[in-house]
Amino acid sequence: MNHMRQAKSFTISDEILAEIASTKGTGSTSKRVNELLKRALEQERRERLELEAAEFFANDRGDSVRERAAYQKASKAALSRG
């Protein structure tokens, strides 16, 4: 995979820079910042998915028992094929 690097300018507090410097090990500061940003973005994505799931199930009024059973049956069938 070909990754293009693009120089950007961001302001980072001294406290955060110190934390990054103390945890970066032998790698570069840029590499550590990129790793942390990727992890933070993945965490945000998971949190959004959890929120969506919570909203979905909160809106479930229990009036579609047949639909839920059909979905479960189809899901099991799909998983058994994979």
PDB file of all heavy atoms in Angstrom, residues 41-68:
ATOM      1  N   LEU A  41      -9.198   7.578  16.637  1.00  0.00           N
ATOM      2  CA  LEU A  41     -10.244   7.531  15.614  1.00  0.00           C
ATOM      3  C   LEU A  41     -10.988   6.197  15.656  1.00  0.00           C
ATOM      4  O   LEU A  41     -12.212   6.153  15.504  1.00  0.00           O
ATOM      5  CB  LEU A  41      -9.640   7.779  14.229  1.00  0.00           C
ATOM      6  CG  LEU A  41      -9.153   9.213  13.992  1.00  0.00           C
ATOM      7  CD1 LEU A  41      -8.327   9.288  12.708  1.00  0.00           C
ATOM      8  CD2 LEU A  41     -10.318  10.185  13.955  1.00  0.00           C
ATOM      9  N   GLU A  42     -10.261   5.109  15.864  1.00  0.00           N
ATOM     10  CA  GLU A  42     -10.901   3.798  15.982  1.00  0.00           C
ATOM     11  C   GLU A  42     -11.796   3.752  17.214  1.00  0.00           C
ATOM     12  O   GLU A  42     -12.904   3.221  17.165  1.00  0.00           O
ATOM     13  CB  GLU A  42      -9.836   2.695  16.053  1.00  0.00           C
ATOM     14  CG  GLU A  42     -10.397   1.301  16.217  1.00  0.00           C
ATOM     15  CD  GLU A  42     -11.279   0.841  15.079  1.00  0.00           C
ATOM     16  OE1 GLU A  42     -11.173   1.374  13.958  1.00  0.00           O
ATOM     17  OE2 GLU A  42     -12.107  -0.060  15.309  1.00  0.00           O
ATOM     18  N   GLN A  43     -11.338   4.327  18.323  1.00  0.00           N
ATOM     19  CA  GLN A  43     -12.152   4.374  19.539  1.00  0.00           C
ATOM     20  C   GLN A  43     -13.426   5.189  19.309  1.00  0.00           C
ATOM     21  O   GLN A  43     -14.510   4.785  19.722  1.00  0.00           O
ATOM     22  CB  GLN A  43     -11.345   4.974  20.694  1.00  0.00           C
ATOM     23  CG  GLN A  43     -12.100   5.065  21.999  1.00  0.00           C
ATOM     24  CD  GLN A  43     -12.473   3.705  22.565  1.00  0.00           C
ATOM     25  OE1 GLN A  43     -11.744   2.744  22.401  1.00  0.00           O
ATOM     26  NE2 GLN A  43     -13.615   3.632  23.222  1.00  0.00           N
ATOM     27  N   GLU A  44     -13.309   6.309  18.632  1.00  0.00           N
ATOM     28  CA  GLU A  44     -14.476   7.127  18.299  1.00  0.00           C
ATOM     29  C   GLU A  44     -15.467   6.342  17.444  1.00  0.00           C
ATOM     30  O   GLU A  44     -16.669   6.400  17.654  1.00  0.00           O
ATOM     31  CB  GLU A  44     -14.052   8.384  17.525  1.00  0.00           C
ATOM     32  CG  GLU A  44     -14.013   9.606  18.341  1.00  0.00           C
ATOM     33  CD  GLU A  44     -13.805  10.859  17.483  1.00  0.00           C
ATOM     34  OE1 GLU A  44     -13.790  10.798  16.227  1.00  0.00           O
ATOM     35  OE2 GLU A  44     -13.655  11.911  18.090  1.00  0.00           O
ATOM     36  N   ARG A  45     -14.950   5.595  16.471  1.00  0.00           N
ATOM     37  CA  ARG A  45     -15.802   4.800  15.595  1.00  0.00           C
ATOM     38  C   ARG A  45     -16.566   3.761  16.413  1.00  0.00           C
ATOM     39  O   ARG A  45     -17.776   3.597  16.251  1.00  0.00           O
ATOM     40  CB  ARG A  45     -14.969   4.109  14.518  1.00  0.00           C
ATOM     41  CG  ARG A  45     -15.802   3.389  13.468  1.00  0.00           C
ATOM     42  CD  ARG A  45     -14.952   2.587  12.499  1.00  0.00           C
ATOM     43  NE  ARG A  45     -14.317   1.448  13.138  1.00  0.00           N
ATOM     44  CZ  ARG A  45     -14.934   0.296  13.430  1.00  0.00           C
ATOM     45  NH1 ARG A  45     -16.201   0.135  13.136  1.00  0.00           N
ATOM     46  NH2 ARG A  45     -14.287  -0.694  14.013  1.00  0.00           N
ATOM     47  N   ARG A  46     -15.876   3.094  17.315  1.00  0.00           N
ATOM     48  CA  ARG A  46     -16.539   2.098  18.172  1.00  0.00           C
ATOM     49  C   ARG A  46     -17.616   2.739  19.037  1.00  0.00           C
ATOM     50  O   ARG A  46     -18.699   2.185  19.214  1.00  0.00           O
ATOM     51  CB  ARG A  46     -15.519   1.405  19.063  1.00  0.00           C
ATOM     52  CG  ARG A  46     -14.654   0.418  18.341  1.00  0.00           C
ATOM     53  CD  ARG A  46     -13.794  -0.350  19.318  1.00  0.00           C
ATOM     54  NE  ARG A  46     -12.716  -1.010  18.637  1.00  0.00           N
ATOM     55  CZ  ARG A  46     -11.476  -1.053  19.066  1.00  0.00           C
ATOM     56  NH1 ARG A  46     -11.142  -0.486  20.194  1.00  0.00           N
ATOM     57  NH2 ARG A  46     -10.560  -1.684  18.375  1.00  0.00           N
ATOM     58  N   GLU A  47     -17.308   3.908  19.585  1.00  0.00           N
ATOM     59  CA  GLU A  47     -18.285   4.599  20.429  1.00  0.00           C
ATOM     60  C   GLU A  47     -19.533   4.986  19.639  1.00  0.00           C
ATOM     61  O   GLU A  47     -20.648   4.866  20.133  1.00  0.00           O
ATOM     62  CB  GLU A  47     -17.647   5.829  21.079  1.00  0.00           C
ATOM     63  CG  GLU A  47     -16.634   5.475  22.142  1.00  0.00           C
ATOM     64  CD  GLU A  47     -15.824   6.672  22.625  1.00  0.00           C
ATOM     65  OE1 GLU A  47     -16.036   7.807  22.135  1.00  0.00           O
ATOM     66  OE2 GLU A  47     -14.952   6.463  23.493  1.00  0.00           O
ATOM     67  N   ARG A  48     -19.345   5.442  18.383  1.00  0.00           N
ATOM     68  CA  ARG A  48     -20.491   5.778  17.538  1.00  0.00           C
ATOM     69  C   ARG A  48     -21.342   4.544  17.257  1.00  0.00           C
ATOM     70  O   ARG A  48     -22.568   4.596  17.297  1.00  0.00           O
ATOM     71  CB  ARG A  48     -20.031   6.404  16.217  1.00  0.00           C
ATOM     72  CG  ARG A  48     -19.658   7.869  16.307  1.00  0.00           C
ATOM     73  CD  ARG A  48     -19.520   8.511  14.934  1.00  0.00           C
ATOM     74  NE  ARG A  48     -18.687   7.760  14.008  1.00  0.00           N
ATOM     75  CZ  ARG A  48     -17.382   7.930  13.846  1.00  0.00           C
ATOM     76  NH1 ARG A  48     -16.748   8.828  14.551  1.00  0.00           N
ATOM     77  NH2 ARG A  48     -16.707   7.205  12.973  1.00  0.00           N
ATOM     78  N   LEU A  49     -20.679   3.412  16.975  1.00  0.00           N
ATOM     79  CA  LEU A  49     -21.408   2.179  16.716  1.00  0.00           C
ATOM     80  C   LEU A  49     -22.181   1.731  17.949  1.00  0.00           C
ATOM     81  O   LEU A  49     -23.325   1.278  17.846  1.00  0.00           O
ATOM     82  CB  LEU A  49     -20.454   1.077  16.260  1.00  0.00           C
ATOM     83  CG  LEU A  49     -19.875   1.236  14.856  1.00  0.00           C
ATOM     84  CD1 LEU A  49     -18.834   0.156  14.590  1.00  0.00           C
ATOM     85  CD2 LEU A  49     -20.964   1.190  13.799  1.00  0.00           C
ATOM     86  N   GLU A  50     -21.565   1.850  19.121  1.00  0.00           N
ATOM     87  CA  GLU A  50     -22.261   1.488  20.354  1.00  0.00           C
ATOM     88  C   GLU A  50     -23.475   2.376  20.577  1.00  0.00           C
ATOM     89  O   GLU A  50     -24.535   1.902  20.988  1.00  0.00           O
ATOM     90  CB  GLU A  50     -21.313   1.578  21.544  1.00  0.00           C
ATOM     91  CG  GLU A  50     -20.288   0.464  21.591  1.00  0.00           C
ATOM     92  CD  GLU A  50     -19.297   0.636  22.730  1.00  0.00           C
ATOM     93  OE1 GLU A  50     -19.528   1.478  23.627  1.00  0.00           O
ATOM     94  OE2 GLU A  50     -18.285  -0.081  22.723  1.00  0.00           O
ATOM     95  N   LEU A  51     -23.327   3.664  20.290  1.00  0.00           N
ATOM     96  CA  LEU A  51     -24.437   4.599  20.434  1.00  0.00           C
ATOM     97  C   LEU A  51     -25.563   4.259  19.464  1.00  0.00           C
ATOM     98  O   LEU A  51     -26.733   4.247  19.831  1.00  0.00           O
ATOM     99  CB  LEU A  51     -23.956   6.034  20.216  1.00  0.00           C
ATOM    100  CG  LEU A  51     -25.005   7.130  20.340  1.00  0.00           C
ATOM    101  CD1 LEU A  51     -25.606   7.145  21.743  1.00  0.00           C
ATOM    102  CD2 LEU A  51     -24.383   8.487  20.025  1.00  0.00           C
ATOM    103  N   GLU A  52     -25.195   3.961  18.218  1.00  0.00           N
ATOM    104  CA  GLU A  52     -26.201   3.575  17.234  1.00  0.00           C
ATOM    105  C   GLU A  52     -26.941   2.316  17.681  1.00  0.00           C
ATOM    106  O   GLU A  52     -28.161   2.223  17.544  1.00  0.00           O
ATOM    107  CB  GLU A  52     -25.550   3.327  15.875  1.00  0.00           C
ATOM    108  CG  GLU A  52     -25.124   4.582  15.158  1.00  0.00           C
ATOM    109  CD  GLU A  52     -24.425   4.286  13.835  1.00  0.00           C
ATOM    110  OE1 GLU A  52     -24.627   3.176  13.276  1.00  0.00           O
ATOM    111  OE2 GLU A  52     -23.672   5.147  13.372  1.00  0.00           O
ATOM    112  N   ALA A  53     -26.211   1.349  18.192  1.00  0.00           N
ATOM    113  CA  ALA A  53     -26.840   0.108  18.657  1.00  0.00           C
ATOM    114  C   ALA A  53     -27.774   0.393  19.825  1.00  0.00           C
ATOM    115  O   ALA A  53     -28.896  -0.125  19.875  1.00  0.00           O
ATOM    116  CB  ALA A  53     -25.777  -0.904  19.056  1.00  0.00           C
ATOM    117  N   ALA A  54     -27.328   1.232  20.755  1.00  0.00           N
ATOM    118  CA  ALA A  54     -28.168   1.571  21.907  1.00  0.00           C
ATOM    119  C   ALA A  54     -29.443   2.275  21.450  1.00  0.00           C
ATOM    120  O   ALA A  54     -30.538   1.984  21.956  1.00  0.00           O
ATOM    121  CB  ALA A  54     -27.390   2.447  22.877  1.00  0.00           C
ATOM    122  N   GLU A  55     -29.322   3.189  20.490  1.00  0.00           N
ATOM    123  CA  GLU A  55     -30.495   3.894  19.976  1.00  0.00           C
ATOM    124  C   GLU A  55     -31.430   2.924  19.250  1.00  0.00           C
ATOM    125  O   GLU A  55     -32.643   3.003  19.401  1.00  0.00           O
ATOM    126  CB  GLU A  55     -30.073   5.020  19.034  1.00  0.00           C
ATOM    127  CG  GLU A  55     -29.436   6.184  19.747  1.00  0.00           C
ATOM    128  CD  GLU A  55     -28.866   7.223  18.789  1.00  0.00           C
ATOM    129  OE1 GLU A  55     -28.863   6.997  17.558  1.00  0.00           O
ATOM    130  OE2 GLU A  55     -28.409   8.266  19.292  1.00  0.00           O
ATOM    131  N   PHE A  56     -30.848   2.014  18.488  1.00  0.00           N
ATOM    132  CA  PHE A  56     -31.656   1.035  17.766  1.00  0.00           C
ATOM    133  C   PHE A  56     -32.475   0.193  18.736  1.00  0.00           C
ATOM    134  O   PHE A  56     -33.675   0.027  18.571  1.00  0.00           O
ATOM    135  CB  PHE A  56     -30.758   0.135  16.917  1.00  0.00           C
ATOM    136  CG  PHE A  56     -31.489  -0.997  16.249  1.00  0.00           C
ATOM    137  CD1 PHE A  56     -32.195  -0.784  15.083  1.00  0.00           C
ATOM    138  CD2 PHE A  56     -31.478  -2.263  16.808  1.00  0.00           C
ATOM    139  CE1 PHE A  56     -32.881  -1.824  14.469  1.00  0.00           C
ATOM    140  CE2 PHE A  56     -32.156  -3.308  16.197  1.00  0.00           C
ATOM    141  CZ  PHE A  56     -32.857  -3.087  15.028  1.00  0.00           C
ATOM    142  N   PHE A  57     -31.820  -0.323  19.763  1.00  0.00           N
ATOM    143  CA  PHE A  57     -32.531  -1.186  20.697  1.00  0.00           C
ATOM    144  C   PHE A  57     -33.456  -0.402  21.614  1.00  0.00           C
ATOM    145  O   PHE A  57     -34.460  -0.936  22.084  1.00  0.00           O
ATOM    146  CB  PHE A  57     -31.551  -2.053  21.490  1.00  0.00           C
ATOM    147  CG  PHE A  57     -30.941  -3.135  20.646  1.00  0.00           C
ATOM    148  CD1 PHE A  57     -29.611  -3.074  20.272  1.00  0.00           C
ATOM    149  CD2 PHE A  57     -31.716  -4.189  20.192  1.00  0.00           C
ATOM    150  CE1 PHE A  57     -29.061  -4.063  19.478  1.00  0.00           C
ATOM    151  CE2 PHE A  57     -31.166  -5.181  19.391  1.00  0.00           C
ATOM    152  CZ  PHE A  57     -29.838  -5.116  19.030  1.00  0.00           C
ATOM    153  N   ALA A  58     -33.167   0.865  21.857  1.00  0.00           N
ATOM    154  CA  ALA A  58     -34.069   1.692  22.661  1.00  0.00           C
ATOM    155  C   ALA A  58     -35.366   1.956  21.907  1.00  0.00           C
ATOM    156  O   ALA A  58     -36.426   2.082  22.511  1.00  0.00           O
ATOM    157  CB  ALA A  58     -33.396   3.022  23.026  1.00  0.00           C
ATOM    158  N   ASN A  59     -35.285   2.025  20.585  1.00  0.00           N
ATOM    159  CA  ASN A  59     -36.464   2.268  19.761  1.00  0.00           C
ATOM    160  C   ASN A  59     -37.255   0.996  19.482  1.00  0.00           C
ATOM    161  O   ASN A  59     -38.332   1.054  18.903  1.00  0.00           O
ATOM    162  CB  ASN A  59     -36.064   2.919  18.429  1.00  0.00           C
ATOM    163  CG  ASN A  59     -35.548   4.323  18.626  1.00  0.00           C
ATOM    164  OD1 ASN A  59     -35.958   5.012  19.546  1.00  0.00           O
ATOM    165  ND2 ASN A  59     -34.633   4.747  17.774  1.00  0.00           N
ATOM    166  N   ASP A  60     -36.720  -0.140  19.875  1.00  0.00           N
ATOM    167  CA  ASP A  60     -37.405  -1.421  19.644  1.00  0.00           C
ATOM    168  C   ASP A  60     -38.597  -1.509  20.581  1.00  0.00           C
ATOM    169  O   ASP A  60     -38.466  -1.518  21.790  1.00  0.00           O
ATOM    170  CB  ASP A  60     -36.432  -2.578  19.903  1.00  0.00           C
ATOM    171  CG  ASP A  60     -37.071  -3.917  19.619  1.00  0.00           C
ATOM    172  OD1 ASP A  60     -38.073  -3.953  18.872  1.00  0.00           O
ATOM    173  OD2 ASP A  60     -36.575  -4.924  20.149  1.00  0.00           O
ATOM    174  N   ARG A  61     -39.775  -1.579  20.009  1.00  0.00           N
ATOM    175  CA  ARG A  61     -41.001  -1.600  20.814  1.00  0.00           C
ATOM    176  C   ARG A  61     -41.524  -3.011  21.019  1.00  0.00           C
ATOM    177  O   ARG A  61     -42.575  -3.207  21.591  1.00  0.00           O
ATOM    178  CB  ARG A  61     -42.060  -0.723  20.152  1.00  0.00           C
ATOM    179  CG  ARG A  61     -41.676   0.742  20.128  1.00  0.00           C
ATOM    180  CD  ARG A  61     -42.719   1.577  19.426  1.00  0.00           C
ATOM    181  NE  ARG A  61     -42.894   1.217  18.026  1.00  0.00           N
ATOM    182  CZ  ARG A  61     -42.134   1.627  17.021  1.00  0.00           C
ATOM    183  NH1 ARG A  61     -41.134   2.427  17.258  1.00  0.00           N
ATOM    184  NH2 ARG A  61     -42.368   1.257  15.790  1.00  0.00           N
ATOM    185  N   GLY A  62     -40.798  -3.998  20.519  1.00  0.00           N
ATOM    186  CA  GLY A  62     -41.215  -5.369  20.710  1.00  0.00           C
ATOM    187  C   GLY A  62     -42.370  -5.792  19.830  1.00  0.00           C
ATOM    188  O   GLY A  62     -42.920  -6.864  20.015  1.00  0.00           O
ATOM    189  N   ASP A  63     -42.756  -4.949  18.864  1.00  0.00           N
ATOM    190  CA  ASP A  63     -43.909  -5.286  18.034  1.00  0.00           C
ATOM    191  C   ASP A  63     -43.524  -6.061  16.781  1.00  0.00           C
ATOM    192  O   ASP A  63     -44.356  -6.286  15.922  1.00  0.00           O
ATOM    193  CB  ASP A  63     -44.698  -4.025  17.667  1.00  0.00           C
ATOM    194  CG  ASP A  63     -43.847  -2.992  16.964  1.00  0.00           C
ATOM    195  OD1 ASP A  63     -42.635  -3.207  16.823  1.00  0.00           O
ATOM    196  OD2 ASP A  63     -44.386  -1.955  16.555  1.00  0.00           O
ATOM    197  N   SER A  64     -42.266  -6.470  16.668  1.00  0.00           N
ATOM    198  CA  SER A  64     -41.833  -7.175  15.468  1.00  0.00           C
ATOM    199  C   SER A  64     -41.120  -8.471  15.833  1.00  0.00           C
ATOM    200  O   SER A  64     -40.026  -8.737  15.371  1.00  0.00           O
ATOM    201  CB  SER A  64     -40.915  -6.278  14.639  1.00  0.00           C
ATOM    202  OG  SER A  64     -39.806  -5.901  15.414  1.00  0.00           O
ATOM    203  N   VAL A  65     -41.753  -9.277  16.652  1.00  0.00           N
ATOM    204  CA  VAL A  65     -41.164 -10.536  17.084  1.00  0.00           C
ATOM    205  C   VAL A  65     -40.883 -11.436  15.884  1.00  0.00           C
ATOM    206  O   VAL A  65     -39.821 -12.050  15.795  1.00  0.00           O
ATOM    207  CB  VAL A  65     -42.077 -11.242  18.116  1.00  0.00           C
ATOM    208  CG1 VAL A  65     -41.553 -12.617  18.458  1.00  0.00           C
ATOM    209  CG2 VAL A  65     -42.213 -10.385  19.356  1.00  0.00           C
ATOM    210  N   ARG A  66     -41.826 -11.487  14.938  1.00  0.00           N
ATOM    211  CA  ARG A  66     -41.624 -12.314  13.749  1.00  0.00           C
ATOM    212  C   ARG A  66     -40.457 -11.809  12.913  1.00  0.00           C
ATOM    213  O   ARG A  66     -39.669 -12.595  12.397  1.00  0.00           O
ATOM    214  CB  ARG A  66     -42.896 -12.366  12.912  1.00  0.00           C
ATOM    215  CG  ARG A  66     -43.908 -13.357  13.467  1.00  0.00           C
ATOM    216  CD  ARG A  66     -45.120 -13.468  12.576  1.00  0.00           C
ATOM    217  NE  ARG A  66     -45.984 -12.331  12.928  1.00  0.00           N
ATOM    218  CZ  ARG A  66     -46.819 -11.736  12.111  1.00  0.00           C
ATOM    219  NH1 ARG A  66     -46.951 -12.139  10.882  1.00  0.00           N
ATOM    220  NH2 ARG A  66     -47.558 -10.734  12.516  1.00  0.00           N
ATOM    221  N   GLU A  67     -40.350 -10.490  12.777  1.00  0.00           N
ATOM    222  CA  GLU A  67     -39.246  -9.922  12.003  1.00  0.00           C
ATOM    223  C   GLU A  67     -37.906 -10.250  12.660  1.00  0.00           C
ATOM    224  O   GLU A  67     -36.937 -10.578  11.977  1.00  0.00           O
ATOM    225  CB  GLU A  67     -39.403  -8.407  11.877  1.00  0.00           C
ATOM    226  CG  GLU A  67     -40.517  -7.984  10.957  1.00  0.00           C
ATOM    227  CD  GLU A  67     -40.686  -6.473  10.910  1.00  0.00           C
ATOM    228  OE1 GLU A  67     -39.841  -5.756  11.471  1.00  0.00           O
ATOM    229  OE2 GLU A  67     -41.667  -6.023  10.317  1.00  0.00           O
ATOM    230  N   ARG A  68     -37.837 -10.144  13.966  1.00  0.00           N
ATOM    231  CA  ARG A  68     -36.597 -10.441  14.678  1.00  0.00           C
ATOM    232  C   ARG A  68     -36.221 -11.909  14.520  1.00  0.00           C
ATOM    233  O   ARG A  68     -35.067 -12.245  14.276  1.00  0.00           O
ATOM    234  CB  ARG A  68     -36.737 -10.102  16.160  1.00  0.00           C
ATOM    235  CG  ARG A  68     -35.427 -10.221  16.888  1.00  0.00           C
ATOM    236  CD  ARG A  68     -35.526  -9.855  18.321  1.00  0.00           C
ATOM    237  NE  ARG A  68     -36.412  -8.708  18.468  1.00  0.00           N
ATOM    238  CZ  ARG A  68     -36.624  -8.066  19.585  1.00  0.00           C
ATOM    239  NH1 ARG A  68     -36.010  -8.443  20.666  1.00  0.00           N
ATOM    240  NH2 ARG A  68     -37.441  -7.047  19.645  1.00  0.00           N
TER     241      ARG A  68
END
